[in-house]
Amino acid sequence: MTRFLTVRHESWPLARPFAISRGVKTSAEVLVVEIADGGSVGRGECVPYARYGESVESARAAVAAIAEAISGGMDREGLQFAMPAGAARNAVDCALWDLDAKRAGTTVAAMLGDSTSSPVVTAETISIGTPDEMGTRASELASAPLLKIKLDAEDVEKRLDAVRAGAPGARLIVDPNEGWDVDFLAEKLHYLADIGVEMIEQPVPVGRDGGLAALDTPIPICADEACHGIDDLAGLRGRYGMVNIKLDKSGGLTEALRMRARAEELGFKIMVGCMVATSLAMAPAVLLAQGAAVVDLDGALLLAQDRADGLLYRDGLLYPPTPALWG
């Protein structure tokens, strides 16, 4: 029977406004791809991101353009050459993984040779606010083992002091989303180390990060916006010690798995991250995150309400998806 692809836009309100250094969002705007084949349906979800030149409209058009080839039987390997990396390919790739598992009566984890995927510790994110707001939010998340703190260049010490007071036992990582420069980072490093920050994610803008190579830092620096695919990895050595692999950047689980293997060969530690989306977008990344140094897959926790059969988050742990959700 011929496969049939559909794509739709969904808007999921957030529990509270989510602010980072480049703006504020109040909803998760996602695309859901479904591929039906007989009685089986595979699903994938993506988040088109304006920072990378994507929009809901452009991603939906890219998915629609590949629909005929998918109906004709194009598989995951063929997809890697038929679409460029990015959010649109991610949704199609993950839908194909889900479909293949369902048609075979197995799970994606088993297909990857890991039928016993384990829960992972995930960061829980505090977005930018006043020091009092961020401290209050930290106290609400005080039992979380790992907190990720969004920052810009304002009130860094006041905000982090408030977070530390609110959650004295939590591990901390920070993410300025390209909001600093190298000199500002160098100025803050001693303070960040003293307060217990364990990792700094993409502190400086892509293209202006050359100075990181000469920076003597006791805290690992992780590439996010600077790292999209395998071809980026070699050029990041000397400036970054970690890379953040996201399915929406790599263009799906197929490429992300290859990217992780190559990054480890080059000596990078691995972070697995996400965009703000539902559990359907997080689910494939849970498999990618097995054994990663840092996992940041709390996107679904930022929603006012997640979709049915969503992922289980408990005591800072994120559990693998059930087949009712994905995979």
Side-chain angles (χ1 to χ4, degrees):
M1 182 176 291
T2 301
R3 291 177 172 180
F4 183 70
L5 181 151
T6 59
V7 57
R8 65 179 180 273
H9 169 217
E10 296 179 351
S11 183
W12 293 80
L14 304 189
R16 55 181 60 82
F18 184 75
I20 66 173
S21 63
R22 64 173 65 97
V24 181
K25 66 189 313 179
T26 57
S27 64
E29 303 300 319
V30 310
L31 283 183
V32 175
V33 169
E34 294 184 348
I35 304 174
D37 188 347
S40 300
V41 179
R43 300 190 300 170
E45 179 179 312
C46 73
V47 182
Y49 195 29
R51 170 66 178 81
Y52 305 139
E54 299 172 332
S55 67
V56 168
E57 292 76 17
S58 68
R60 181 157 48 189
V63 172
I66 204 71
E68 184 175 349
I70 295 297
S71 295
M74 178 180 284
D75 61 11
R76 296 190 307 273
E77 290 303 316
L79 181 69
Q80 310 310 306
F81 299 97
M83 296 183 77
R89 192 178 78 188
N90 173 36
V92 180
D93 182 73
C94 290
L96 286 171
W97 275 102
D98 189 31
L99 178 65
D100 288 347
K102 286 179 167 58
R103 292 187 70 233
T106 185
T107 65
V108 175
M111 292 167 62
L112 295 173
D114 181 14
S115 59
T116 58
S117 293
S118 302
V120 294
V121 173
T122 182
E124 296 193 41
T125 305
I126 298 176
S127 71
I128 295 173
T130 68
D132 284 347
E133 289 169 342
M134 294 176 75
T136 297
R137 184 62 182 144
S139 67
E140 294 169 352
L141 297 174
S143 62
L146 177 64
L147 295 178
K148 174 174 170 174
I149 315 304
K150 294 287 190 177
L151 295 169
D152 54 22
E154 302 297 323
D155 295 327
V156 170
E157 290 89 345
K158 290 180 180 178
R159 286 167 164 163
L160 285 178
D161 284 347
V163 168
R164 178 51 82 203
R171 298 164 50 213
L172 300 181
I173 57 179
V174 300
D175 183 9
N177 284 107
E178 303 180 279
W180 299 352
D181 59 30
V182 174
D183 289 341
F184 188 89
L185 171 61
E187 176 189 321
K188 301 299 181 186
L189 275 175
H190 182 74
Y191 165 78
L192 295 172
D194 281 351
I195 203 170
V197 170
E198 298 182 8
M199 186 269 282
I200 306 169
E201 184 181 351
Q202 198 65 54
V204 302
V206 176
R208 286 186 274 169
D209 54 358
L212 293 176
L215 193 65
D216 182 16
T217 172
I219 307 172
I221 308 295
C222 181
D224 181 9
E225 287 88 346
C227 182
H228 288 252
I230 289 176
D231 291 344
D232 295 324
L233 293 170
L236 299 175
R237 287 184 296 181
R239 288 176 289 155
Y240 299 92
M242 298 182 65
V243 293
N244 187 353
I245 302 175
K246 293 178 179 175
L247 301 184
D248 277 321
K249 292 189 300 180
S250 68
L253 182 60
T254 301
E255 184 69 4
L257 291 165
R258 294 171 177 154
M259 185 177 173
R260 173 172 174 159
R262 181 57 178 154
E264 290 174 335
E265 288 176 358
L266 293 173
F268 291 105
K269 291 185 177 180
I270 304 300
M271 176 180 184
V272 174
C274 68
M275 308 300 287
V276 182
T278 80
S279 281
L280 180 57
M282 308 298 120
V286 178
L287 306 186
L288 179 69
Q290 297 294 306
V294 175
V295 178
D296 177 28
L297 295 177
D298 69 330
L301 291 179
L302 302 174
L303 304 178
Q305 181 177 342
D306 195 7
R307 65 176 72 247
D309 301 307
L311 292 167
L312 174 62
Y313 294 85
R314 180 181 292 162
D315 300 326
L317 292 176
L318 170 58
Y319 288 76
T322 64
L325 175 66
W326 182 89

